[in-house]
Amino acid sequence: MKLTIIYDNEAWAPGLQADWGFACLLDLKDGSRLLFDTGANGTILLENMEKIGIDPRTISSVFISHPHWDHIGGLPALLERHREVVLYLPASFPKPPEARQVLTIQAPCQLTPQLWSTGELNGGEQSLVVDTGQGLAVISGCAHPGVGAILQAAAQFGRVTALVGGLHGFRDFDLLGDLSLVCPCHCTQYINEIKQRYPKTYVPGGAGRVMEV
Ligand SMILES: [Zn+2]
Ligand SMILES: [Zn+2]
């Protein structure tokens, strides 16, 4: 699948705005498009999308990791533009907005033939698990529950080969040894350490970054 970072603390592509928060778009094997989180600000989200060439109306589902402002801030603006989406919300989400379909998730579960949620882990954050055809990719918002707990929860669905997203203060770097791709971005505090430790599998993040996962 193709993964495009739309919103990140750093900008990768010229012309895109960097801002504290995270959002990325997944072009899935079945041809559908899923938006993972929405960044902090709707204007920046929609402007970055436009500059990358993503029409919000082509998005069929939105997955929210956890209800922190830097992940849900862009949601109202996106829904205002395009409400015909399936919304996957963690049960910790305070006041679910209207959409074509709203699913509230608490326990680990399968969402589609190639998508799973880890369910809410300690603190109410869920991570997305995607079957890439060559193993599972885990997409993480901030990883508040801990990368170890997230990878362990994802492993119930198969072999995890990729990890993308915010990893917060994670520093148990041995856990990344079996992965073939790791893209630590957003709030990850030890990006340089991960890069030095895993130079072959490390992929830099940043808004506008496109990667085949
Ligand atoms: Zn965050
Ligand atoms: Zn957070």
Side-chain angles (χ1 to χ4, degrees):
M1 72 163 167
K2 189 170 86 170
L3 185 151
T4 306
I5 299 179
I6 296 171
Y7 206 115
D8 194 10
N9 301 29
E10 307 284 335
W12 170 265
L16 294 192
Q17 194 169 337
D19 187 42
W20 184 281
F22 186 64
C24 68
L25 184 84
L26 308 183
D27 278 292
L28 298 165
K29 276 188 302 183
D30 64 7
S32 69
R33 283 186 143 175
L34 178 143
L35 181 68
F36 178 97
D37 287 348
T38 63
N41 177 297
T43 307
I44 297 175
L45 177 77
L46 293 175
E47 279 180 6
N48 276 359
M49 269 189 194
E50 194 180 330
K51 285 176 189 153
I52 299 170
I54 296 164
D55 181 346
R57 290 164 302 181
T58 60
I59 293 168
S60 50
S61 53
V62 180
F63 182 99
I64 298 293
S65 62
H66 65 306
H68 283 172
W69 60 275
D70 52 333
H71 298 259
I72 63 170
L75 186 58
L78 179 89
L79 291 175
E80 213 167 281
R81 190 70 71 85
H82 175 57
R83 212 168 278 279
E84 287 300 302
V85 294
V86 180
L87 254 185
Y88 300 112
L89 301 176
S92 60
F93 198 97
K95 223 177 139 219
E98 273 177 47
R100 180 161 68 83
Q101 192 184 1
V102 180
L103 293 159
T104 303
I105 296 161
Q106 195 160 26
C109 60
Q110 186 158 24
L111 308 175
T112 74
Q114 63 170 138
L115 294 177
W116 296 263
S117 165
T118 60
E120 284 189 327
L121 301 172
N122 347 316
E125 179 174 346
Q126 60 174 344
S127 297
L128 182 66
V129 184
V130 189
D131 180 5
T132 66
Q134 285 137 5
L136 303 178
V138 175
I139 321 294
S140 149
C142 283
H144 295 300
V147 172
I150 292 169
L151 292 177
Q152 198 181 354
Q156 70 189 293
F157 305 120
R159 192 170 63 93
V160 177
T161 55
L163 175 63
V164 179
L167 306 184
H168 221 281
F170 164 72
R171 55 185 311 170
D172 192 1
F173 306 126
D174 288 349
L175 293 179
L176 309 178
D178 291 334
L179 302 179
S180 52
L181 183 153
V182 55
C183 175
C185 48
H186 177 41
C187 57
T188 310
Q189 286 166 27
Y190 300 105
I191 292 180
N192 281 331
E193 285 80 354
I194 294 170
K195 181 182 171 179
Q196 277 162 21
R197 176 86 181 264
Y198 298 107
K200 291 200 178 97
T201 52
Y202 166 80
V203 172
R209 175 55 101 152
V210 182
M211 63 193 87
E212 198 58 46
V213 180

